[in-house]
Amino acid sequence: MNNSRRHFLAHSAAGLSLLGGFSSFAQASLGKAQILVIGGGFGGATAAKYLRLFSNNTANVILIEPNASFLSCPMSNFVVAGMRTMADITSPYEGLTKHHGIKLIRDSVSAIDPDKKTVKLSSGSVLSYDKVVLSPGISLMMNSIEGLAKANQAGVTLQAWKAGPETLMLYKQLAAMRDGGVFAISIPEAPYRCPPGPYERASLVANYLKQHKPKSKVLILDANQDITSKGALFKKAWAEQYSGLIEYFPSHNVAGVDAKTKTLRFEVQDDVRADVLNVLPAMSAGEIAIKTGLANANGRWVNVDFLNFEATAAKDIHVLGDAIQTAPLMPKSGHMANQHAKVAAAAIIAQLNDWPINPAPVVNNTCYSFVNEHAAVHVASVHQYDAQAKTFKSVPGAGGLSSESSNTEASYAWGWAHNIWADTLA
């Protein structure tokens, strides 16, 4: 490898698709290594693809994912509000296998043994690894709210925070609700997946009700003291577009659910009854991360070395996305998981080739939220690794917020979605 190529790899963290054009930097040790990527969401699928691109298609990459297709949480609120179908947020994994030579195993992981460096699949097979990239997403802590697990199992409450069957079920409950009914969404204390997501969902549900069931109400029951993202923009939109339809209640932490009466009980405030209950409990790293002993941040999240996203609790296991204890002001978002994946992939390829890894990665985040079917707002940020603090810090003056919602931002939002789906999967 010549110096210019080494410099390029060492100083690149994200968006390095051009690396796929290089031809000779991979070493023999890389070709012999087995890299298992667990989880095919934004983090895992991106990591699998970029491990191949950064190695000039020489890395042996196996993606383990139980689902047949990729389901996008971003844009799933459109399905909840009846404006899109599940097909609109579903993409095949075919691009990763056909275009990038990634082996896909449709299975889930039942155990990881960091000492033996093996992964056991639910089917019973055992795979050895040199490196694991673990992108397990979140677990919903159903037992953090009394009665919630049972209510959710019965379909009385729904979370729909992992895109899938509940996404469509929640829409069906909304569509079946009487005009004059109440849709209630509860939000756990931060951190949780997708900070602005619940407020966007409330906005799009209100948009649906305004058109189809105008006598109804949306209650936002937030455990936080205020809106956690884009607060002024959401409040402005609600006042202008949904006056009398949306009611926002901060510092409302759900303590219990009565499934028979569809009633929420709070730590302090009076009970609330609703016709449709969308209850979001506290969240933690995906189950396999906790089971493997990686969640060493309050027993909920995984601490990582931000230079390569290796778990501090286990060597050669690199953890991405919503499962990690994020750096300050680094959101748990699909875009950020995509960025984590590129930093980790570049570092893993460097490590397996015995090259120095990038000492100063930079990542960015972009997040759009719709306030109605045709208008959106955004927030963006840039994060630079700080060697002294050993974490990412926000770059002052980089990024920012929309001045107001607009149709132009909505077109950008859909452009962002199609681009990141392609960057992750195509």
Side-chain angles (χ1 to χ4, degrees):
M1 184 182 72
N2 62 40
N3 288 336
S4 63
R5 289 175 182 173
R6 187 188 302 276
H7 177 86
F8 186 50
L9 181 60
H11 291 80
S12 299
L16 298 184
S17 60
L18 290 175
L19 273 174
F22 295 150
S23 59
S24 61
F25 58 78
Q27 304 296 308
S29 59
L30 172 61
K32 294 178 181 177
Q34 176 147 285
I35 307 172
L36 305 181
V37 180
I38 301 172
F42 281 102
T46 304
K49 173 179 171 178
Y50 277 82
L51 282 163
R52 291 285 291 172
L53 290 175
F54 289 174
S55 68
N56 196 29
N57 298 325
T58 59
N60 179 18
V61 179
I62 299 173
L63 175 61
I64 304 167
E65 164 59 42
N67 293 317
S69 302
F70 173 92
L71 291 169
S72 177
C73 282
M75 301 302 178
S76 66
N77 283 332
F78 270 84
V79 180
V80 171
M83 302 167 192
R84 292 289 191 279
T85 67
M86 290 300 291
D88 293 325
I89 61 168
T90 302
S91 303
Y93 286 113
E94 184 182 24
L96 296 179
T97 56
K98 185 176 180 180
H99 300 145
H100 301 287
I102 296 162
K103 182 179 179 181
L104 175 63
I105 296 178
R106 279 198 61 195
D107 207 335
S108 56
V109 171
S110 60
I112 301 173
D113 188 329
D115 296 323
K116 295 180 180 177
K117 301 187 76 166
T118 58
V119 165
K120 184 175 183 180
L121 306 182
S122 297
S123 61
S125 299
V126 177
L127 304 174
S128 61
Y129 68 81
D130 296 282
K131 290 281 190 181
V132 159
V133 177
L134 179 60
S135 189
I138 54 164
S139 286
L140 296 162
M141 300 168 67
M142 291 294 181
N143 291 331
S144 64
I145 297 175
E146 184 181 1
L148 179 60
K150 188 175 180 180
N152 212 76
Q153 194 171 26
V156 176
T157 64
L158 295 170
Q159 44 85 16
W161 214 237
K162 296 182 178 181
E166 287 198 20
T167 307
L168 191 56
M169 288 169 63
L170 187 56
Y171 165 66
K172 289 180 177 178
Q173 287 193 354
L174 182 67
M177 189 178 81
R178 64 187 170 90
D179 189 8
V182 175
F183 175 97
I185 180 170
S186 73
I187 305 168
E189 289 184 341
Y192 58 86
R193 165 182 278 180
C194 190
Y199 313 107
E200 179 194 64
R201 177 170 293 181
S203 301
L204 291 181
V205 167
N207 183 72
Y208 168 85
L209 294 176
K210 187 176 180 179
Q211 297 177 46
H212 302 284
K213 307 179 188 203
K215 298 177 183 176
S216 304
K217 276 190 181 297
V218 174
L219 304 183
I220 306 171
L221 307 162
D222 195 342
N224 299 285
Q225 294 181 355
D226 203 349
I227 295 173
T228 58
S229 177
K230 308 170 190 164
L233 292 167
F234 278 118
K235 287 178 179 176
K236 185 173 187 291
W238 297 343
E240 292 176 349
Q241 300 176 41
Y242 307 118
S243 178
L245 206 163
I246 287 181
E247 294 184 19
Y248 176 70
F249 298 93
S251 303
H252 274 58
N253 193 25
V254 178
V257 176
D258 185 331
K260 290 184 180 178
T261 60
K262 292 189 175 181
T263 301
L264 301 180
R265 177 169 52 81
F266 297 88
E267 291 179 338
V268 178
Q269 297 83 3
D270 293 338
D271 295 352
V272 169
R273 187 191 173 284
D275 298 276
V276 177
L277 291 170
N278 183 197
V279 181
L280 306 179
M283 302 173 195
S284 67
E287 182 181 354
I288 188 64
I290 293 176
K291 186 177 178 182
T292 309
L294 306 178
N296 52 3
N298 297 323
R300 289 177 60 185
W301 310 108
V302 179
N303 281 312
V304 299
D305 178 345
F306 283 110
L307 283 178
N308 59 10
F309 285 83
E310 186 175 58
T312 59
K315 186 174 172 51
D316 293 323
I317 299 179
H318 302 253
V319 185
L320 313 175
D322 297 340
I324 71 165
Q325 175 71 28
T326 55
L329 301 179
M330 176 183 279
K332 294 181 182 293
S333 70
H335 190 111
M336 189 55 77
N338 172 283
Q339 296 283 289
H340 294 173
K342 292 169 182 172
V343 174
I348 289 169
I349 296 303
Q351 288 177 321
L352 291 173
N353 278 304
D354 198 25
W355 299 338
I357 65 173
N358 181 3
V362 180
V363 296
N364 64 77
N365 184 67
T366 302
C367 174
Y368 288 93
S369 300
F370 284 82
V371 297
N372 62 48
E373 187 175 1
H374 302 295
V377 295
H378 84 270
V379 63
S381 57
V382 179
H383 308 260
Q384 166 81 62
Y385 182 77
D386 184 302
Q388 187 171 7
K390 296 183 178 180
T391 189
F392 281 94
K393 291 186 176 180
S394 297
V395 177
L401 273 169
S402 305
S403 58
E404 59 182 359
S405 63
S406 70
N407 295 0
T408 301
E409 294 246 21
S411 67
Y412 292 163
W414 279 107
W416 169 87
H418 288 291
N419 280 323
I420 199 164
W421 293 338
D423 185 50
T424 302
L425 299 160

